[in-house]
Amino acid sequence: MNKLWKKFNRLSEECYSNMISFDPNKDTWNQTFDVLVAAIENERESNPRFGREIDLVDEDLDYAVDVSGWLEDYTDELGMYHLYEKLYDVCEKLLALFEWKETSPADIKFQISEALSGQNRDQEAIDFCRKWMEEVRDGDEESAIQCEMALIYALIHAGEYPEAREIVEKHLAGSEMCTEENERYWHAAGKLYEAMGDKKKAAHMKREEEKYEEMIFRQMADDFENEDFPLEDDGLPF
């Protein structure tokens, strides 16, 4: 492992100390990202196919680093602290750095839309989502859903409520409760009604969503309690 990867590992540990301390200063995270990009570009000087997909960087380094996990945490941190200009730049860099043929870029594109809206670049966010929608029209269903969700939130942020409402109500037609199949659209509808000032509908959506979450929690608790733990020689399940 070359010096850049060792530096990435050292800095990434500092990043998690920053996360635990709830420090809004992300200079260490930004520096670590710059080191990561430099390390990947350095590897590609001798092997142009190194880490061609974002998920392959860890594999190509025999899992001596955790690039995928760190990148997810980094972009989450930027969004959490509303550092939207930096989030946009990072996501654009990631789109350019990898091929995105075997791995979907949907999560990155969702964050680009969020970053544009966060900078009040509302029309750009909507246009970005519409272009993305054309790209995934014949693609996988999950990417199409993420694209549509990004468009809904971009429309809500822009105050374009009629179109956002048309989309969510199309998917929720006939639905009386929040379910696994409609959970994301249900949540978006609640945000939409809240933005529209329809307190009654917003409260209803929130109540039903909370009922669904409570049901899922109970199911998970029941599954855990009913799980059979294999006994070791000493008769204990650990």
Side-chain angles (χ1 to χ4, degrees):
M1 182 182 296
N2 65 34
K3 291 181 180 179
L4 284 172
W5 289 116
K6 290 179 180 178
K7 186 174 183 179
F8 170 80
N9 271 341
R10 177 176 59 80
L11 286 172
S12 63
E13 291 178 4
E14 293 182 22
C15 290
Y16 290 112
S17 296
N18 173 279
M19 179 187 287
I20 295 170
S21 67
F22 299 100
D23 185 355
N25 187 332
K26 299 304 165 191
D27 287 347
T28 302
W29 290 83
N30 298 334
Q31 183 185 357
T32 308
F33 180 72
D34 291 340
V35 170
L36 171 61
V37 172
I40 293 173
E41 291 176 343
N42 180 264
E43 294 283 356
R44 287 178 181 170
E45 289 179 4
S46 57
N47 177 13
R49 299 298 292 163
F50 173 85
R52 63 191 183 278
E53 297 285 344
I54 194 170
D55 294 339
L56 294 180
V57 177
D58 297 343
E59 182 178 326
D60 287 351
L61 291 169
D62 294 326
Y63 300 98
V65 297
D66 181 17
V67 170
S68 298
W70 182 86
L71 280 172
E72 183 177 348
D73 291 333
Y74 176 41
T75 54
D76 284 348
E77 284 288 291
L78 293 177
M80 183 185 303
Y81 286 94
H82 300 169
L83 301 172
Y84 294 121
E85 185 174 353
K86 186 63 178 180
L87 177 61
Y88 177 83
D89 291 342
V90 167
C91 290
E92 284 282 283
K93 182 64 178 179
L94 290 175
L95 285 183
L97 196 60
F98 301 103
E99 292 184 353
W100 303 104
K101 292 179 180 178
E102 299 173 18
T103 307
S104 170
D107 289 341
I108 299 297
K109 290 190 172 185
F110 188 97
Q111 288 175 312
I112 287 178
S113 174
E114 177 188 25
L116 287 169
S117 292
Q119 298 175 75
N120 294 317
R121 297 161 62 180
D122 292 324
Q123 192 56 53
E124 289 180 68
I126 293 171
D127 292 344
F128 175 83
C129 292
R130 293 198 196 285
K131 181 180 178 182
W132 177 16
M133 189 167 289
E134 290 298 321
E135 295 170 355
V136 300
R137 192 169 297 280
D138 298 320
D140 67 283
E141 182 180 359
E142 177 59 26
S143 292
I145 291 174
Q146 285 185 275
C147 175
E148 197 165 43
M149 295 307 304
L151 176 59
I152 292 169
Y153 288 118
L155 290 167
I156 293 173
H157 193 274
E160 300 288 342
Y161 302 140
E163 184 177 355
R165 184 171 185 170
E166 181 180 351
I167 297 171
V168 296
E169 292 188 349
K170 175 186 69 175
H171 287 281
L172 295 178
S175 298
E176 297 181 358
M177 63 182 68
C178 181
T179 66
E180 181 180 359
E181 290 74 22
N182 69 17
E183 179 186 8
R184 283 181 284 185
Y185 289 100
W186 192 280
H187 182 77
K191 294 296 183 183
L192 171 62
Y193 296 136
E194 183 179 352
M196 293 172 60
D198 192 334
K199 295 181 180 180
K200 184 177 180 179
K201 280 192 175 181
H204 168 73
M205 304 303 286
K206 185 175 182 180
R207 282 196 305 271
E208 293 300 320
E209 186 176 7
E210 288 174 346
K211 288 180 184 178
Y212 169 74
E213 290 172 348
E214 184 179 350
M215 179 192 71
I216 295 299
F217 179 81
R218 287 201 306 268
Q219 287 179 349
M220 291 176 64
D222 290 344
D223 289 343
F224 181 78
E225 289 178 1
N226 295 330
E227 186 174 351
D228 293 326
F229 291 98
L231 295 179
E232 302 296 339
D233 292 341
D234 58 3
L236 297 176
F238 49 86

